[in-house]
Amino acid sequence: MPKFETTHYTLEYPYQRTTGPVTGPFLTGLRDGKLLGIRSGSRVLCPPLEFDPDTFEELEPDFVEVGPFGTVGSWTWIAEPTRKHPFQEPFAFATIALDGADTPIVHAVKASSVDVMKRGMRVKAMYREERVGAITDVYFVPEAEAYEQKIAKGKGEVGISQHLISLDFEESFAPTRKRYLEGLARGVFIGQKSPATGKVYIPSKGYDPIERVPMSEADDVELPYTGTITSYTIITPVAYYGQKETEPYIRASVLLDGADTPLGQQDLRTISTDEIRAGMRVKAIFKPEAERDFEGIDNRWGGTGGVIDRWEPTGEPDVPFEVFSQHAY
Amino acid sequence: MERCAVVGLGQTKYSKRHEITVDGLVRWAAKNALEDAGLEWKDLDAIVIGKAPDALEGIMMPELSLADALGSIGKPIHRVHTAGSVGASTAISAATLIESGMYDTVLTLGYEKQSDGNATWALGGGRSGSQGAGGSFAPWIRKYIAKSGAPPEVGTKVAVKDRLNALRNPNAHLHLYDIDEKKVKESPMLWDPIHFLESCPSSDGAAAMVLTNEKGAKKAPKKPAWVIAHAKRTEFTQFPGRDTVKPQAGVDCAEALYKKAGITNPRKQIDCAELYVPFSWYEPMWLEGHLIAPENEGWKMTLEGATAIGGDFPVNMSGGVLSSNPIGASGMIRCLEAANQVRGTAGEYQVDGARVALGHAYGGAANYFAMWIVSSEKDPKF
């Protein structure tokens, strides 16, 4: 049986950004092997800003080439890079005052060792072989480790930039959630009966949301496999990154007999969209124990699609709306 | 308590806009608002911005990166977040900073750049099979229809009315010149009973207002809109006994708002309203949910034409959320357009003689509410 100590999740989306009148030329410059600053009064700002930080006025697109050499102000060594860092081997992040610029840029210095890194050290911009008009097209190396590069100019202006942004997180299951999931793994529904209101919650958050009274393991109750569909949505899926659905499908709330809150987000795809109605009686058919999959279930997400194979109509007469109206959602 | 006046309104054109940065977008609205108020960056004491979840654009803590675009260096900047209702919550938070006497002049702004990301992905926690906002609201809309006995054409009529109103508003995202009931009914069913044309678009845009106190209002070059009352309420998203069609928090919010304003008969005493209607059925649902119409009778106001421009209670004269939905700005736009009406500056979609107007937003699982009432008069009598 799975342990349900922690859950891992990666939230990831390929965002697109409009680069605009200042970042656009800057990124186009990087793609073409140039570092551009912008004039702001008597100063040159690099990276360039859209608005004057002193007067807040729009800056004229008056670009100046800076670098490729610069001086490190301060730095920090990244001994254990993550998959999203610009290098997979240890490197430094540093503030670099580029020659000709009055403000420092924060960027990566690919140094052979941490011992090379020093305040005041000279570095040179180097460009990656494959450049797409992104901040990662460029990186810096200690002057002694620099070499000559031939950079071919790309086509057009960089108007849109692409960013695959990911957030990896790991969280511990709340104790109540853990017991609910252990129940699903065994093939039973575990809810909690509030000592304050007598209401039965599933999945329970470990407290009564009406009276805000904490509940403990002693309040756990087992619920039956049968219940009533209290509300549903027929969804025409839209395409997006990570979307696996292509055909219309049903998501429903199922109120288990004896519960006061429905199980939300239930996948009812074996019931046809013509047949579905609120009040319909159904029974949960669990997947075989070895096939129960808990991927994606966390402390908030309540889907049971990996655990319950299907909800089967029982054939019993429908339950009138008045009976479950207080528990429908 | 100081009194709060709206002295500057600024909007971008709403659209799917790829040629401008988020910074440029907020700047556009802010500059329009400052210009309208006859003020400059230096005249602002604080900035209060709001937007929907960061996952919509994937920019964490945008209030920090937008500081220079909003001239807020050396000034306090606050960020508000209450899901879809955020625009109205933000405006109200800014109003309280004036009313408390803390600041003389505050810029408040809401924005969204939906084209950078995908709202259905973001609202679904980044997972496959997101039911989207419409999927959450569809069962409640069905419940409303069943309970109230409203005929199906109510949703269609709201969808057409708001799009026709949008044709009078140059800032609106959708300008559907050939919209009619047939087109709405024949558009794809997204979440039964919600058709594609009964749903809001995905928009980019920003809306901004300059708020000030009585002293500031005297110096303003244009007529101010006075903030008469505001209210915010929240409830849990799910609990046994929850009324999802007419949430108690929405009722409480409206009651508190009317009480503060001295309003005893909202339908008669309020001249027009900008309600947050992202799916057409929410027009009658909020008319009832905020006590403007008796229970189960909101749809009659729609059918009778009471909510059209020229009716006795016009709703969403600007075209509403159904015509422009930069999510984080949408609630701000409702508050802004209410002010626009009582200032008499709404142009082609002006309600004649509008003296008292309601701006409203809801968010989350219809569990956040934020509303304000503005008037052309500082102390309107009812």
Side-chain angles (χ1 to χ4, degrees):
Chain A
M1 195 166 91
K3 283 251 184 277
F4 304 117
E5 296 300 336
T6 56
T7 175
H8 302 259
Y9 190 65
T10 301
L11 187 65
E12 185 171 84
Y13 193 80
Y15 292 95
Q16 293 197 338
R17 304 218 188 292
T18 312
T19 57
V22 173
T23 303
F26 175 66
L27 293 179
T28 306
L30 292 182
R31 186 199 61 197
D32 296 344
K34 279 191 299 195
L35 281 156
L36 296 180
I38 196 167
R39 277 191 212 282
S40 171
S42 59
R43 298 195 298 170
V44 172
L45 314 178
C46 183
L49 301 178
E50 267 187 79
F51 310 106
D52 186 319
D54 299 322
T55 66
F56 314 130
E57 293 309 319
E58 274 89 352
L59 286 169
E60 293 297 321
D62 184 2
F63 295 101
V64 192
E65 196 172 337
V66 297
F69 291 94
T71 307
V72 166
S74 63
W75 56 273
T76 184
W77 190 249
I78 309 297
E80 293 173 28
T82 69
R83 70 184 175 101
K84 296 296 261 185
H85 273 123
F87 297 104
Q88 293 306 293
E89 59 273 22
F91 70 100
F93 273 126
T95 59
I96 300 161
L98 290 162
D99 294 351
D102 295 289
T103 54
I105 185 170
V106 176
H107 217 295
V109 178
K110 189 171 185 279
S112 48
S113 141
V114 62
D115 303 328
V116 179
M117 294 304 301
K118 277 187 186 60
R119 271 185 83 120
M121 72 187 280
R122 296 284 289 166
V123 291
K124 180 177 185 275
M126 299 293 289
Y127 293 88
R128 294 191 193 251
E129 209 138 295
E130 217 177 289
R131 293 176 312 283
V132 292
I135 190 70
T136 45
D137 285 356
V138 70
Y139 61 96
F140 292 83
V141 297
E143 198 169 5
E145 297 173 29
Y147 54 91
E148 279 301 310
Q149 286 178 303
K150 271 212 172 99
I151 309 292
K153 214 167 168 270
K155 271 198 197 122
E157 294 291 312
V158 179
I160 298 277
S161 59
Q162 313 281 343
H163 305 263
L164 183 65
I165 296 182
S166 309
L167 182 66
D168 289 307
F169 62 87
E170 182 176 306
E171 61 180 21
S172 300
F173 281 116
T176 318
R177 191 69 166 178
K178 187 167 158 18
R179 296 197 303 277
Y180 164 73
L181 293 173
E182 284 167 353
L184 290 180
R186 289 201 310 275
V188 295
F189 289 119
I190 303 289
Q192 284 195 301
K193 188 180 174 101
S194 163
T197 60
K199 299 208 183 295
V200 174
Y201 300 98
I202 181 164
S204 176
K205 289 182 174 164
Y207 58 89
D208 182 317
I210 298 174
E211 294 298 332
R212 292 146 215 216
V213 174
M215 292 189 268
S216 71
E217 194 166 352
D219 302 307
D220 285 4
V221 287
E222 197 175 312
L223 290 161
Y225 297 108
T226 50
T228 304
I229 295 174
T230 56
S231 93
Y232 64 92
T233 296
I234 300 169
I235 298 160
T236 308
V238 294
Y240 57 78
Y241 181 79
Q243 170 72 291
K244 296 183 191 113
E245 305 294 345
T246 53
E247 296 302 318
Y249 62 98
I250 300 171
R251 282 285 152 87
S253 295
V254 177
L255 184 69
L256 293 174
D257 295 338
D260 288 280
T261 57
L263 283 169
Q265 298 272 333
Q266 296 303 302
D267 193 330
L268 253 57
R269 68 189 66 213
T270 56
I271 297 177
S272 80
T273 52
D274 299 332
E275 205 185 348
I276 181 84
R277 58 204 182 266
M280 190 179 204
R281 294 283 299 159
V282 289
K283 183 176 185 209
I285 309 292
F286 277 66
K287 286 183 174 172
E289 198 167 333
E291 290 171 29
R292 288 171 202 158
D293 174 11
F294 291 85
E295 203 197 319
I297 294 187
D298 61 22
N299 282 312
R300 291 160 296 280
W301 209 256
T304 54
V307 181
I308 295 172
D309 184 58
R310 62 193 186 277
W311 290 89
E312 241 171 36
T314 64
E316 294 164 274
D318 280 9
V319 177
F321 177 71
E322 302 74 59
V323 175
F324 57 82
S325 66
Q326 299 299 300
H327 316 278
Y329 299 170
Chain B
M1 192 178 85
E2 295 286 338
R3 291 298 302 272
C4 177
V6 186
V7 293
L9 307 180
Q11 301 188 71
T12 63
K13 158 79 183 154
Y14 303 115
S15 73
K16 253 296 184 239
R17 173 172 295 279
H18 264 310
E19 72 274 24
I20 188 166
T21 56
V22 169
D23 305 54
L25 210 55
V26 299
R27 176 91 178 175
W28 179 357
K31 284 191 81 172
N32 281 350
L34 281 174
E35 192 182 321
D36 192 36
L39 298 175
E40 295 173 33
W41 296 111
K42 65 174 173 50
D43 301 315
L44 297 172
D45 299 319
I47 287 104
V48 186
I49 72 169
K51 74 171 299 295
D54 289 351
L56 283 162
E57 291 92 356
I59 301 174
M60 299 302 148
M61 297 184 286
E63 61 279 9
L64 300 185
S65 58
L66 292 176
D68 55 344
L70 288 170
S72 50
I73 293 158
K75 292 175 185 178
I77 185 162
H78 302 228
R79 188 246 176 125
V80 178
H81 181 200
T82 58
S85 70
V86 66
S89 303
T90 305
I92 292 170
S93 296
T96 59
L97 292 180
I98 299 292
E99 290 167 342
S100 70
M102 185 73 201
Y103 301 116
D104 291 337
T105 307
V106 174
L107 175 77
T108 185
L109 183 142
Y111 75 92
E112 207 71 68
K113 194 160 189 293
Q114 285 216 50
S115 64
D116 274 8
N118 181 297
T120 304
W121 172 88
L123 298 178
R127 292 158 202 262
S128 175
S130 165
Q131 61 179 18
S136 306
F137 297 132
W140 305 343
I141 291 172
R142 276 202 313 273
K143 208 194 284 185
Y144 170 73
I145 295 170
K147 173 178 98 76
S148 68
E153 66 262 31
V154 175
T156 319
K157 280 199 187 299
V158 174
V160 172
K161 178 204 64 151
D162 283 6
R163 271 53 174 272
L164 289 176
N165 287 353
L167 294 177
R168 304 174 182 220
N169 177 4
N171 290 327
H173 179 176
L174 298 185
H175 283 145
L176 306 175
Y177 293 96
D178 55 355
I179 187 85
D180 59 26
E181 293 191 26
K182 186 164 172 278
K183 285 210 165 62
V184 175
K185 277 185 222 153
E186 286 174 359
S187 65
M189 184 68 86
L190 295 188
W191 308 273
D192 185 27
I194 309 172
H195 289 89
F196 175 72
L197 282 173
E198 290 173 299
S199 309
C200 53
S202 295
S203 315
D204 296 352
M209 290 187 277
V210 176
L211 308 183
T212 188
N213 53 20
E214 246 176 292
K215 210 171 79 195
K218 283 204 184 92
K219 288 187 281 184
K222 293 185 190 165
K223 202 177 140 180
W226 293 97
V227 178
I228 303 307
H230 50 74
K232 294 189 272 196
R233 288 292 186 278
T234 308
E235 69 182 34
F236 279 9
T237 54
Q238 296 184 346
F239 56 89
R242 179 170 193 230
D243 188 340
T244 47
V245 173
K246 189 178 181 179
Q248 190 59 41
V251 174
D252 293 347
C253 192
E255 278 177 347
L257 182 81
Y258 303 148
K259 187 171 175 220
K260 177 78 178 42
I263 285 173
T264 49
N265 183 339
R267 177 158 180 189
K268 285 228 156 55
Q269 293 162 337
I270 295 172
D271 297 311
C272 56
E274 286 276 340
L275 303 180
Y276 200 97
V277 178
F279 303 100
S280 56
W281 280 96
Y282 268 100
E283 174 173 298
M285 286 166 76
W286 292 139
L287 288 171
E288 293 175 30
H290 300 318
L291 314 174
I292 296 156
E295 189 141 337
N296 300 328
E297 290 184 22
W299 58 271
K300 292 180 186 164
M301 284 179 67
T302 302
L303 280 194
E304 287 159 5
T307 59
I309 297 175
D312 76 273
F313 195 92
V315 174
N316 292 331
M317 299 69 68
S318 68
V321 182
L322 280 173
S323 305
S324 315
N325 189 27
I327 306 176
S330 292
M332 177 85 53
I333 301 169
R334 308 280 73 71
C335 291
L336 182 154
E337 289 291 2
N340 206 7
Q341 289 289 339
V342 299
R343 286 174 104 199
T345 49
E348 294 284 304
Y349 56 98
Q350 177 69 43
V351 172
D352 283 343
R355 183 179 75 119
V356 177
L358 167 67
H360 155 270
Y362 81 100
N367 65 313
Y368 293 116
F369 295 90
M371 305 160 80
W372 84 2
I373 286 177
V374 285
S375 174
S376 53
E377 296 169 23
K378 200 173 77 178
D379 295 296
K381 296 285 171 278
F382 299 103

